[in-house]
Amino acid sequence: MSSKKVGPRVGLTPSRNQSGERDVSGGITKAGDVNLRRALCQAATVMMHEAARHG
């Protein structure tokens, strides 16, 4: 599986709203495995806190 397919596979794709000339990207969709999304968000939070603590 290529890296471009991982995001959509686990549900980490932005929602989109297209209407005429407008193309609005929203937040992350709730598609994919909820437990994997939770784990990725937890890991990102830990990394941000560690970076702030050591930064």
Side-chain angles (χ1 to χ4, degrees):
M1 180 181 303
S2 73
S3 61
K4 290 182 180 181
K5 293 181 181 179
V6 173
R9 176 99 176 176
V10 298
L12 296 177
T13 57
S15 61
R16 298 191 72 128
N17 186 4
Q18 294 177 318
S19 173
E21 294 179 7
R22 293 185 53 185
D23 184 10
V24 180
S25 290
I28 294 174
T29 64
K30 294 183 179 178
D33 183 29
V34 67
N35 292 319
L36 182 54
R37 271 198 325 278
R38 270 191 203 129
L40 290 171
C41 289
Q42 254 182 341
T45 302
V46 168
M47 290 174 63
M48 290 183 347
H49 284 290
E50 287 296 315
R53 200 173 86 174
H54 295 291

